[in-house]
């Protein structure tokens, strides 16, 4: 009799356990179902982009549309370079991005080290000002800055896009400062005792230790420059000077839109970013989580 | 804090300090001055007092239209983007397999340059042969003119923006992962279900991140420009329904060369964003942004 009681009790317990397990399983299944459906929704526009870039013109404009092209036509990718000077735009974007990244890294690291480690009079005051500029909408300064560059005769050159980056970027100064503060002070102190000057310490000890953060800054500033539209729009009005973001709009005429080549061009603009993302994934995530995105 | 350290400090921050005076402080003062003039970009600027501001508020329907467009886009777009980004993060945080794969899938669209994603969505929303209408048609639902329709152009832009909601997801994910597991375990012992745990632990524990994203989202949303410029071919159509605030500012400054007038617009925007920022500081206190040494 006792045995029977124990058995009954354990079967109740098992049932309860099983129902918890079933509940967990339903929870899991519903999570994965939702994730897969959402993934499909998020991937779909990419498939559409690639699909359209491979469709000949008549197929791009049929209803109902086809997802996978009936004929795989790579002509659009060739047309991209013949309809407009896409190669030129690509080169322009590379030049501008390269110098912006260079300027940003050179200036922001030095300034950030000053804010992180050198106790000077007024440091906290200037740091608050720095943070304040992060909140300032660029439209407030846009018109006077345009006037300055216009007076210098720099309109229609890359200089207005490049030169400001050599004066540091508040976001990146902030990000790098946060990182520099995590480096143990003892390293710098012992270098100081060995007779190393402040700039030497920064250059030979702190920078080599900060390579991951510098890569994060370089990646993010590359991405933002590559995507920038408003400033090239204001400063570049000669077709030969266009960056990719401006140049690609040439496919979208007022009346005629060249769908296939336009999507092929989009693929070519996105490609370097996707490659960089996969190469430097951890730096991207780290940087976004630190700065809170591009705001 | 001796003198030579102070000198050294200023030598290090010199690049930024010079840039601050040339590209920020100077232009701010100049821009404020210009907002009280009829400056056109060329020739002299005549002082007109509060004329620009008076005209904006009383005689300019496009100012109100662009402000309304921006508010509409913000009050629907920002919370929706927040919910989608948060939901994605919560799903990914549930200890799922292939988490990295899913995270990449949700994050990648936010990497796509705005110009490129706008062109892509123009094709998706194309009324005659776009896939959006094809799907609606398949389910026998009414189709739409999307970006070419006065009513639908802003909702279409909001749908577009949701595709990039994975950018916020990454920030939420970091916040979610810092919630101590012991809290969930304790709640489970008390018999709390999934929904209760979410509502009483997850949300309150990540409220700082949510609020930060909300305010940054509001500030960003008030500066929407590129996607509207691209989908409307630079004119803010149809019938000014996609003419957002910064778009109108751009047109006034660089198309109509009303630089003084556009400066007044810029200062009103500055005040709106300043208010958002102050709310953020009030709620967070100062320590979220920086910490003093001593």
């Amino acid at each position: 009799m006792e045995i029977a009681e124990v058995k009954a009790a354990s079967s109740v317990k098992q049932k309860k356990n099983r129902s918890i397990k079933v509940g967990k399983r339903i929870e899991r299944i519903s999570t994965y179902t939702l994730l897969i459906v959402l993934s499909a929704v998020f991937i779909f526009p990419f498939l559409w982009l690639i699909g359209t870039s491979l469709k000949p013109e008549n197929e791009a404009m049929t209803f109902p549309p086809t997802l996978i092209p009936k004929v795989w036509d790579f002509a659009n990718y060739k047309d991209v370079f013949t309809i407009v000077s896409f190669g030129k735009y690509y080169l322009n974007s590379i030049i501008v991005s390269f110098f912006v990244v260079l300027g940003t890294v050179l200036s922001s690291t030095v300034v950030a080290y000053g804010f992180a480690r050198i106790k000077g009079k007024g440091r906290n005051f200037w740091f608050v000002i720095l943070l304040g500029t992060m909140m300032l909408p660029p439209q407030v300064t846009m018109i006077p800055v345009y006037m300055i560059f216009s007076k210098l005769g720099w309109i229609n050159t890359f200089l207005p896009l490049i030169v400001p980056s050599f004066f540091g970027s508040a976001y990146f100064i902030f990000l790098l400062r946060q990182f520099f503060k995590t480096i143990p002070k003892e390293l710098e102190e012992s270098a100081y005792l060995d007779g190393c000057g402040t700039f030497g310490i920064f250059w030979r000890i702190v920078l080599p230790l900060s390579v991951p953060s510098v890569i994060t800054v370089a990646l993010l500033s590359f991405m933002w420059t590559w995507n920038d539209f408003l400033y090239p729009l204001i400063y570049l009005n000669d077709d030969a000077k266009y960056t990719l973001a401006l140049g690609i709009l040439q496919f979208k005429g007022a009346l005629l839109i060249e769908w296939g080549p336009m999507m092929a061009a989009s693929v070519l603009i996105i490609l370097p970013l996707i490659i960089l993302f996969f190469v430097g994934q951890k730096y991207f995530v780290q940087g976004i989580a630190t700065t809170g995105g591009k705001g | 804090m001796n003198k030579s350290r102070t000198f050294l400090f200023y030598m290090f921050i010199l690049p930024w300090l010079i840039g601050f005076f040339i590209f920020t402080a100077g232009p701010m003062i100049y821009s404020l001055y210009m907002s009280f003039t009829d400056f056109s970009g060329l020739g002299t600027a005549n002082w007109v007092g509060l004329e620009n501001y008076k005209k904006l508020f009383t005689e300019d329907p496009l100012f109100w239209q662009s402000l309304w467009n921006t508010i509409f886009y913000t009050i629907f777009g920002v919370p929706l983007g927040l919910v989608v980004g948060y939901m994605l993060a919560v799903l990914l945080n549930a200890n799922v397999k292939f988490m990295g794969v899913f995270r990449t899938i949700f994050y990648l669209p936010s990497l796509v340059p705005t110009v490129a994603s706008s062109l892509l969505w123009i094709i998706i929303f194309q009324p005659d042969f776009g896939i959006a209408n094809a799907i609606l048609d398949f389910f026998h639902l009414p189709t739409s003119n999307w970006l070419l329709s006065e009513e639908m152009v802003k909702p279409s832009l909001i749908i577009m923006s949701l595709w990039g909601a994975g950018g916020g997801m990454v920030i939420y994910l970091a916040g979610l992962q810092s919630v101590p597991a012991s809290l969930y375990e304790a709640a489970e012992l008390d018999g709390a279900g999934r929904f209760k745990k979410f509502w009483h632990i997850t949300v309150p524990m990540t409220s700082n991140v949510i609020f930060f994203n909300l305010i940054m989202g509001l500030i960003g949303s008030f500066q929407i420009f590129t996607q509207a410029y691209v989908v409307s071919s630079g004119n803010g159509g149809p019938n000014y329904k996609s003419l957002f605030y910064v778009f109108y500012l751009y047109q006034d400054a660089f198309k109509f060369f009303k630089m003084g007038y556009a400066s007044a617009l810029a200062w009103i925007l500055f005040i709106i964003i300043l208010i958002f920022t102050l709310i953020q500081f009030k709620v967070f206190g100062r320590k979220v942004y920086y910490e003093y040494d001593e």
Side-chain angles (χ1 to χ4, degrees):
Chain A
M1 201 194 97
E2 253 180 29
I3 294 171
E5 247 173 31
V6 171
K7 260 193 178 165
S10 84
S11 103
V12 166
K13 208 175 178 187
Q14 263 175 12
K15 250 186 204 161
K16 207 178 169 191
N17 264 344
R18 199 178 299 150
S19 83
I20 289 176
K21 259 192 189 150
V22 170
K24 282 258 174 204
R25 181 170 291 173
I26 290 173
E27 211 177 281
R28 299 250 91 183
I29 292 173
S30 59
T31 303
Y32 280 108
T33 313
L34 207 55
L35 278 173
I36 289 166
V37 170
L38 285 168
S39 297
V41 173
F42 272 75
I43 288 181
F44 185 77
F46 278 118
L47 296 180
W48 200 250
L49 168 73
I50 296 165
T52 309
S53 79
L54 292 170
K55 283 178 199 168
E57 202 189 330
N58 55 356
E59 200 188 330
M61 289 195 264
T62 49
F63 193 87
T66 49
L67 175 58
I68 299 160
K70 288 193 193 93
V71 197
W72 287 54
D73 185 0
F74 286 91
N76 289 328
Y77 283 87
K78 223 173 70 199
D79 290 346
V80 164
F81 292 92
T82 52
I83 297 175
V84 301
S85 3
F86 200 71
K88 181 91 187 145
Y89 305 150
Y90 225 96
L91 187 67
N92 291 343
S93 271
I94 290 174
I95 293 171
V96 172
S97 305
F98 171 80
F99 283 107
V100 169
V101 170
L102 183 76
T104 305
V105 167
L106 283 180
S107 57
S108 300
T109 47
V110 176
V111 175
Y113 186 73
F115 278 118
R117 277 291 199 263
I118 307 173
K119 282 193 199 117
K121 229 180 173 173
R123 179 169 70 163
N124 286 336
F125 170 77
W126 288 113
F127 192 59
V128 172
I129 299 283
L130 176 91
L131 294 167
T133 63
M134 277 163 64
M135 298 298 167
L136 183 74
Q139 289 80 18
V140 176
T141 53
M142 190 168 78
I143 296 167
V145 171
Y146 176 87
M147 300 308 301
I148 295 173
F149 288 134
S150 160
K151 282 257 156 64
L152 290 170
W154 286 3
I155 304 300
N156 223 2
T157 71
F158 298 147
L159 291 171
L161 307 177
I162 292 171
V163 170
S165 70
F166 281 83
F167 295 92
S169 143
Y171 260 115
F172 295 131
I173 293 170
F174 176 65
L175 188 151
L176 288 165
R177 170 198 178 260
Q178 299 302 92
F179 183 81
F180 290 157
K181 284 183 92 72
T182 65
I183 297 174
K185 264 188 183 152
E186 293 73 29
L187 284 173
E188 291 156 71
E189 276 157 12
S190 65
Y192 182 72
L193 292 179
D194 289 344
C196 209
T198 306
F199 192 80
I201 292 172
F202 163 70
W203 191 250
R204 280 192 224 125
I205 304 204
V206 174
L207 263 195
L209 283 172
S210 314
V211 170
S213 297
V214 172
I215 292 176
T216 301
V217 168
L219 278 174
L220 288 178
S221 79
F222 173 83
M223 193 175 86
W224 295 350
T225 314
W226 193 258
N227 297 355
D228 187 21
F229 180 74
L230 180 57
Y231 290 106
L233 180 70
I234 291 172
Y235 290 115
L236 308 174
N237 32 45
D238 174 10
D239 179 53
K241 291 277 164 46
Y242 282 180
T243 55
L244 282 171
L246 279 184
I248 194 177
L249 287 188
Q250 308 263 64
F251 293 107
K252 186 181 177 289
L255 297 168
L256 183 78
I257 302 182
E258 313 248 15
W259 300 106
M262 189 165 93
M263 287 301 97
S266 298
V267 170
L268 293 175
I269 290 186
I270 299 168
L271 210 58
L273 298 170
I274 305 264
I275 293 171
L276 275 180
F277 172 73
F278 280 108
V279 173
Q281 196 166 6
K282 66 172 186 192
Y283 304 112
F284 258 98
V285 175
Q286 179 197 339
I288 302 267
T290 319
T291 58
K294 50 187 156 180
Chain B
M1 261 190 225
N2 57 43
K3 260 189 187 152
S4 75
R5 287 305 274 176
T6 296
F7 176 75
L8 208 56
F9 167 69
Y10 283 98
M11 286 315 288
F12 267 80
I13 69 159
L14 197 61
W16 171 76
L17 209 54
I18 294 172
F20 170 72
F21 284 112
I22 298 178
F23 296 120
T24 306
M28 268 182 83
I29 296 164
Y30 194 56
S31 153
L32 183 63
Y33 162 73
M34 274 208 297
S35 76
F36 297 110
T37 70
D38 64 355
F39 190 53
S40 69
L42 288 168
T44 52
N46 301 307
W47 183 265
V48 294
L50 285 169
E51 196 56 42
N52 287 330
Y53 292 93
K54 218 174 96 193
K55 202 170 151 200
L56 273 175
F57 286 111
T58 55
E59 293 168 42
D60 187 352
L62 283 184
F63 166 73
W64 292 108
Q65 176 74 57
S66 68
L67 190 61
W68 164 243
N69 288 341
T70 311
I71 291 171
F72 181 97
Y73 180 80
T74 302
I75 55 175
F76 289 102
V78 173
L80 270 173
L82 202 132
V83 168
V84 172
Y86 196 72
M87 198 178 73
L88 293 175
V90 168
L91 278 173
L92 285 184
N93 199 40
N95 215 354
V96 290
K97 274 185 191 143
F98 310 113
M99 192 263 213
V101 177
F102 286 121
R103 192 180 63 187
T104 305
I105 289 172
F106 297 141
Y107 180 65
L108 277 186
S110 70
L111 277 184
V112 175
T114 310
V115 174
S117 67
S118 306
L119 294 174
L120 168 61
W121 283 88
I122 289 175
I123 293 186
I124 291 174
F125 282 139
Q126 214 288 333
D128 300 321
F129 48 83
I131 185 70
N133 275 353
I135 292 169
L136 291 176
D137 199 54
F138 181 80
F139 291 108
H140 300 288
L141 292 164
T143 57
S144 165
N145 274 337
W146 301 109
L147 296 163
L148 305 175
S149 136
E150 287 190 27
E151 294 78 37
M152 280 305 289
V153 61
K154 284 190 285 286
S156 304
L157 286 168
I158 290 172
I159 294 172
M160 259 173 69
S161 76
L162 293 181
W163 191 46
M169 171 198 75
V170 184
I171 306 167
Y172 294 127
L173 210 50
L176 288 170
Q177 279 164 356
S178 68
V179 179
S182 56
L183 283 178
Y184 292 111
E185 284 154 18
E188 268 166 35
L189 285 179
D190 291 342
R194 197 184 195 187
F195 183 76
K196 272 205 165 145
K197 278 189 283 176
F198 172 76
W199 203 243
H200 293 292
I201 300 174
T202 313
V203 173
M205 287 301 285
T206 48
S207 59
N208 264 16
V209 189
I210 296 174
F211 195 79
F212 177 78
N213 265 4
L214 175 69
I215 299 291
M216 293 314 273
L218 291 178
I219 293 175
S221 173
F222 250 81
Q223 296 174 41
I224 175 186
F225 172 75
T226 305
Q227 43 281 62
Y229 185 95
V230 174
V231 303
S232 72
S233 299
N235 63 32
N239 195 18
Y240 303 114
K241 292 297 187 283
S242 72
L243 185 74
F244 293 100
Y245 195 92
V246 169
F247 197 167
Y248 184 48
L249 192 160
Y250 161 82
Q251 283 194 337
D252 274 330
F254 298 102
K255 228 171 148 182
F256 310 131
F257 298 104
K258 298 194 280 183
M259 299 266 186
Y261 197 64
S263 297
L265 275 168
W267 271 84
I268 293 168
L269 177 72
F270 179 41
I271 289 163
I272 293 171
I273 287 180
L274 192 68
I275 292 168
F276 287 144
T277 310
L278 290 178
I279 294 173
Q280 179 154 346
F281 268 78
K282 197 112 202 141
V283 172
F284 275 121
R286 294 159 131 197
K287 70 172 192 297
V288 174
Y289 294 103
Y290 56 91
E291 68 281 0
Y292 287 124
D293 287 320
E294 275 80 31

